[in-house]
Amino acid sequence: MSTITRRIIPAIAVAGTMMLVATGCVAGENATASDAKDDAASTGEWSSDTLSIDFATYNPLSLVIRDQGILEEILGDDVEVEWVQSAGSNKANELLRSGSIDVGSTAGSAALLARANGSPIQVIDIFSQPEWSAIVVGPDSDITSVEDLAGKSVAATKGTDPYFFLLQSLEEAGLSVDDVEVQNLQHADGRAALDGGSVDAWAGLDPIMAAAEVESGDQLIYRNVDFNTYGFLNATEDFIENHADLAQAVVDAYEKARDWALENPDETAALLAEVAGIDVEVAKTVITERSNLDVSGIPGDDQVAVLEKIAPVLADSGDVQGGKDSVDKALDSIVNATFAEKAVGGE
């Protein structure tokens, strides 16, 4: 279940010009320039008096922003920030599609799946380039390779990077999803099912996966950083079009949080440990070895190239209405780089 918290902190408005983004903007396009955020910051007249945004343990920058009140500092007393916890990319996509949040964090693959299925979202910032997925088995398992998964049960959260990691891993091993029994469980439940013996393997996600290694002795039998997609910060097209000032404020907050997290990895790990309820040493492994926060926040060709690799798997998975055509259209329209270009370029 989602957890909601509200925080209001007196403002120190952050001025800055921004571009007004047209929906459907793709990588490399430039939208019409606007002084919307500058005007809002100076007058306190933002386009809305509320902003709903998620935080997630797989998105360390969101934890920094929430903990330090960075958004509340930018927006001031005139905008109430509503924080909603996402348990996984699939949950963030559900919240975005229902309008429960304006901005949400997912894996790139999950964002592509959602847009291909008609959810009007675009990526406005990149929060990480992680290695957060792997195939996990118990400490006493006889399974030592992906090929050994044939005929076995595997826990995975459909619509998330670990699920697509599983599909790609099976394909590379000469198998298909029909060769295994997928148990569609949320990430934490997948770990519990593996540790309880009700599944043979789990397509894991950090930081839960890292904790499972230390606490349960679970083993990562297959890793491949190229099968992990980027961390996408997504917004609905309605929010982008009608609340561009708030969208810019969010991306500005993310870039500020990135700078702080890179300068303070131990403090970032401690924050992750607190929110995720894991040992701080496990959190340090996640932050320093698997998160890669030191990546450009501007979405563009690099992200599209990764998604192009997964697109055929996604189109053939049966999870997209409209198949390849829908996936191709989503690829062509998912990126909106304007806000990140302004935030990074204005530093």
Side-chain angles (χ1 to χ4, degrees), residues 203-228:
L205 178 72
D206 274 335
I208 302 169
M209 182 172 68
E213 288 182 90
V214 173
E215 297 167 359
S216 304
D218 292 340
Q219 305 173 67
L220 310 188
I221 63 161
Y222 185 68
R223 298 170 66 174
N224 189 332
V225 66
D226 292 334
F227 285 177
N228 293 260

Side-chain angles (χ1 to χ4, degrees), residues 59-99:
N59 178 359
L61 297 187
S62 70
L63 306 184
V64 173
I65 294 169
R66 177 172 173 262
D67 180 69
Q68 296 187 4
I70 296 173
L71 258 177
E72 290 87 347
E73 183 178 322
I74 292 173
L75 297 172
D77 294 331
D78 295 314
V79 180
E80 180 178 7
V81 180
E82 181 181 58
W83 287 100
V84 182
Q85 185 166 12
S86 292
S89 294
N90 60 324
K91 295 302 182 183
N93 275 327
E94 289 173 10
L95 292 166
L96 283 163
R97 187 153 195 162
S98 68

Side-chain angles (χ1 to χ4, degrees), residues 89 106-113 132 161 229-232 234 307 310 334:
S89 294
T106 74
S109 58
L112 180 62
L113 172 65
W132 53 18
D161 235 26
T229 58
Y230 286 77
F232 276 30
N234 309 302
L307 294 182
I310 200 174
I334 195 170

Side-chain angles (χ1 to χ4, degrees), residues 2-326:
S2 296
T3 302
I4 301 178
T5 59
R6 290 181 174 85
R7 304 178 55 183
I8 302 295
I9 294 177
I12 302 175
V14 177
T17 59
M18 65 160 287
M19 296 180 177
L20 181 63
V21 179
T23 58
C25 178
V26 298
E29 280 188 43
N30 291 319
T32 304
S34 170
D35 291 329
K37 177 173 171 283
D38 185 40
D39 291 344
S42 61
T43 65
E45 295 179 359
W46 297 91
S47 61
S48 175
D49 58 7
T50 60
L51 169 65
S52 296
I53 185 170
D54 80 341
F55 69 99
T57 56
Y58 54 86
N59 178 359
L61 297 187
S62 70
L63 306 184
V64 173
I65 294 169
R66 177 172 173 262
D67 180 69
Q68 296 187 4
I70 296 173
L71 258 177
E72 290 87 347
E73 183 178 322
I74 292 173
L75 297 172
D77 294 331
D78 295 314
V79 180
E80 180 178 7
V81 180
E82 181 181 58
W83 287 100
V84 182
Q85 185 166 12
S86 292
S89 294
N90 60 324
K91 295 302 182 183
N93 275 327
E94 289 173 10
L95 292 166
L96 283 163
R97 187 153 195 162
S98 68
S100 298
I101 58 175
D102 303 306
V103 183
S105 43
T106 74
S109 58
L112 180 62
L113 172 65
R115 187 164 181 90
N117 278 325
S119 181
I121 61 170
Q122 292 183 307
V123 53
I124 59 174
D125 195 62
I126 301 299
F127 60 82
S128 67
Q129 185 186 13
E131 185 193 4
W132 53 18
S133 303
I135 304 299
V136 189
V137 299
D140 302 318
S141 177
D142 294 331
I143 299 171
T144 60
S145 68
V146 177
E147 288 83 358
D148 292 340
L149 293 178
K152 305 296 186 180
S153 58
V154 184
T157 309
K158 288 191 173 182
T160 69
D161 235 26
Y163 176 68
F164 295 114
F165 185 95
L166 173 63
L167 295 188
Q168 293 176 92
S169 301
L170 291 171
E171 181 183 55
E172 184 182 62
L175 302 173
S176 76
V177 70
D178 295 329
D179 293 312
V180 300
E181 179 190 349
V182 176
Q183 296 285 341
N184 184 21
L185 300 172
Q186 202 60 47
H187 302 298
D189 297 329
R191 178 197 170 180
L194 178 64
D195 289 347
S198 57
V199 296
D200 300 303
W202 168 47
L205 178 72
D206 274 335
I208 302 169
M209 182 172 68
E213 288 182 90
V214 173
E215 297 167 359
S216 304
D218 292 340
Q219 305 173 67
L220 310 188
I221 63 161
Y222 185 68
R223 298 170 66 174
N224 189 332
V225 66
D226 292 334
F227 285 177
N228 293 260
T229 58
Y230 286 77
F232 276 30
L233 186 69
N234 309 302
T236 62
E237 289 184 348
D238 176 77
F239 181 73
I240 290 170
E241 183 174 8
N242 296 308
H243 304 289
D245 55 342
L246 296 179
Q248 188 67 60
V250 169
V251 176
D252 288 351
Y254 261 84
E255 292 309 314
K256 183 175 181 180
R258 188 192 315 278
D259 290 341
W260 187 88
L262 291 173
E263 293 176 0
N264 300 277
D266 289 345
E267 291 85 348
T268 303
L271 180 57
L272 174 61
E274 178 185 356
V275 177
I278 59 177
D279 184 82
V280 69
E281 293 304 317
V282 174
K284 285 182 180 179
T285 296
V286 173
I287 294 299
T288 61
E289 298 180 18
R290 297 182 184 173
S291 292
N292 189 15
L293 304 176
D294 191 12
V295 61
S296 173
I298 302 174
D301 292 343
D302 289 345
Q303 288 72 43
V304 171
V306 170
L307 294 182
E308 285 175 343
K309 293 179 182 178
I310 200 174
V313 177
L314 185 59
D316 294 340
S317 68
D319 295 322
V320 177
Q321 301 173 7
K324 183 178 184 300
D325 287 345
S326 294

